[in-house]
């Protein structure tokens, strides 16, 4: 149910990116362990927290790419496009809201009288775009 299923070829580079990110994370941890003894390093520097932050950032980057891919596919769930032909017209209404409309020569004033007339007009324009 996608509008553009041919965009799914982007899954291949996305999976490759995910594989390379996981591999890089493992390599970082291994190189860090070879460089300094992990027990000493954990006492001097919060390595576990840094590694967890690094892993989280990579996961969020991957999820961002995944959601971008899903958006590119154009999901269409539960609805189908159907062309509807109508013979209605486009009606534009210009309404004066200046202070002169507060004049009370109509009951209660020009503004309220105009609102009532426009309400009746809009209700009578069924099938047209107002």
């Amino acid at each position: 149910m996608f509008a553009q299923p041919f965009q799914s070829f982007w899954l291949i580079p996305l999976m490759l990116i995910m594989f390379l990110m996981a591999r890089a994370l493992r390599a970082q941890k291994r190189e860090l362990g070879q460089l300094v003894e992990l027990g000493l390093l954990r006492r001097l520097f919060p390595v576990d927290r840094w590694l967890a932050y690094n892993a989280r950032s990579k996961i969020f980057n991957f999820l961002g790419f995944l959601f971008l891919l899903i958006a590119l596919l154009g999901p269409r769930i539960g609805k189908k496009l159907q062309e509807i032909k109508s013979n209605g017209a486009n009606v534009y209404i210009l309404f004066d809201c200046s202070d002169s409309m507060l004049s009370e020569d109509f009951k209660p004033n020009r503004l309220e009288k105009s609102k009532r007339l426009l309400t009746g007009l809009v209700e009578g324009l069924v099938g047209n775009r107002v």
Side-chain angles (χ1 to χ4, degrees), residues 90 105 116 129:
N90 294 331
D105 51 351
R116 291 180 190 154
R129 293 192 302 185

Side-chain angles (χ1 to χ4, degrees), residues 86-91 122 124-130:
S86 77
N87 295 329
N90 294 331
V91 179
V122 169
L125 292 172
V126 177
N128 298 311
R129 293 192 302 185
V130 179

Side-chain angles (χ1 to χ4, degrees), residues 10-38:
W10 287 104
L11 271 174
I12 297 167
L14 185 65
M15 292 301 157
L16 181 65
I17 289 171
M18 184 180 81
F19 172 74
L20 292 175
M21 285 177 14
R23 197 167 166 208
L25 190 62
R26 272 188 254 122
Q28 267 183 342
K29 193 172 184 178
R30 184 176 53 244
E31 288 173 7
L32 193 60
Q34 289 175 353
L35 185 64
V36 178
E37 181 185 334
L38 284 177

Side-chain angles (χ1 to χ4, degrees), residues 70-122:
I70 291 170
L72 277 174
L73 290 174
R76 304 281 186 246
I77 299 173
K79 295 182 181 179
K80 66 178 185 177
L81 296 177
Q82 183 179 17
E83 188 174 326
I84 299 174
K85 295 182 181 182
S86 77
N87 295 329
N90 294 331
V91 179
Y92 297 93
I93 298 174
L94 180 65
F95 194 74
D96 181 14
C97 293
S98 64
D99 289 339
S100 66
M101 293 295 284
L102 297 175
S103 176
E104 296 183 2
D105 51 351
F106 292 101
K107 293 289 179 188
N109 59 29
R110 289 181 185 178
L111 186 62
E112 289 300 318
K113 182 72 172 176
S114 299
K115 284 182 188 178
R116 291 180 190 154
L117 288 172
L118 279 176
T119 303
L121 174 69
V122 169

